[in-house]
Amino acid sequence: ATVPYVDVLPLARRAFPGLRNYKLETVAKYLRLIGSNQEHRALSDAQLTLKVMLACIDRILSSHDKSLKESKERRAAADAERRSKYATSPLLDKTFCFTGDFASGRENVEGMVGTVGGVLREKVSTKLNYLVVGDISGLPDWAIERKYKKAEDLIAAGNHIEKISE
């Protein structure tokens, strides 16, 4: 029978980087879960391990939530700046996706989207406004299916996606 377990050591290393070591007693003291004299008994060690594990999980989740919030705030600020800068652009907030090879280079043509207030997308979806099509003759079938054919199917279903060339 397989016994499920959680190794608290990697959790503690991730949650509390920079401790001098990651012995149970060291982490527990850092968290102020114990004083200087920890009774080393199986039950008390197991209970302490549980408390440390829960503290690690809490710290990791809090850190993750904070990172998500900061990332969302950065994206919102960048979006507000883009909307302000390109407020008069007819392509403001229009979404673009690219497929195929481009004479002037993919990075160059994709980079143009940002200079008009547009939004670059990696995938074709119902929210797409423009599929910019380069030379697709050298693309494998799966690549054509993934973007070009999907856009055609969405257009046929009534979505307003415009296919344009370079």
Side-chain angles (χ1 to χ4, degrees), residues 18-75:
L19 295 182
R20 61 183 165 89
N21 64 52
Y22 291 90
K23 294 177 185 175
L24 178 62
E25 191 171 343
T26 303
V27 178
K29 283 180 182 176
Y30 173 79
L31 294 169
R32 295 187 170 99
L33 296 174
I34 59 170
S36 57
N37 294 328
Q38 165 64 11
E39 172 188 353
H40 289 289
R41 294 290 207 210
L43 181 59
S44 62
D45 281 356
Q47 291 169 332
L48 186 59
T49 301
L50 175 62
K51 290 176 184 176
V52 167
M53 181 188 77
L54 294 174
C56 290
I57 291 170
D58 184 55
R59 172 67 69 94
I60 291 167
L61 291 176
S62 295
S63 176
H64 180 71
D65 290 346
K66 182 181 175 187
S67 292
L68 286 177
K69 182 181 176 190
E70 289 170 354
S71 177
K72 188 175 182 178
E73 288 169 355
R74 280 192 305 273
R75 283 193 312 270

Side-chain angles (χ1 to χ4, degrees), residues 10-153:
L11 290 176
R13 285 183 174 149
R14 180 171 175 193
F16 308 106
L19 295 182
R20 61 183 165 89
N21 64 52
Y22 291 90
K23 294 177 185 175
L24 178 62
E25 191 171 343
T26 303
V27 178
K29 283 180 182 176
Y30 173 79
L31 294 169
R32 295 187 170 99
L33 296 174
I34 59 170
S36 57
N37 294 328
Q38 165 64 11
E39 172 188 353
H40 289 289
R41 294 290 207 210
L43 181 59
S44 62
D45 281 356
Q47 291 169 332
L48 186 59
T49 301
L50 175 62
K51 290 176 184 176
V52 167
M53 181 188 77
L54 294 174
C56 290
I57 291 170
D58 184 55
R59 172 67 69 94
I60 291 167
L61 291 176
S62 295
S63 176
H64 180 71
D65 290 346
K66 182 181 175 187
S67 292
L68 286 177
K69 182 181 176 190
E70 289 170 354
S71 177
K72 188 175 182 178
E73 288 169 355
R74 280 192 305 273
R75 283 193 312 270
D79 194 45
E81 181 180 336
R82 179 181 58 80
R83 286 184 175 170
S84 173
K85 185 174 182 179
Y86 300 105
T88 60
S89 172
L91 297 176
L92 177 66
D93 291 334
K94 299 296 182 187
T95 56
F96 294 79
C97 185
F98 292 79
T99 188
D101 295 317
F102 297 89
S104 56
R106 188 177 197 109
E107 282 187 15
N108 288 333
V109 293
E110 285 182 347
M112 291 180 197
V113 171
T115 66
V116 294
V119 179
L120 183 61
R121 296 284 183 231
E122 290 295 318
K123 296 179 180 179
V124 170
S125 73
T126 57
K127 297 177 181 178
L128 189 68
N129 298 113
Y130 299 98
L131 177 65
V132 184
V133 182
D135 178 11
I136 62 171
S137 64
L139 293 180
D141 290 343
W142 64 265
I144 293 171
E145 288 283 327
R146 197 180 84 195
K147 290 185 179 177
Y148 189 83
K149 179 75 169 89
K150 184 171 182 180
E152 284 188 333
D153 291 346

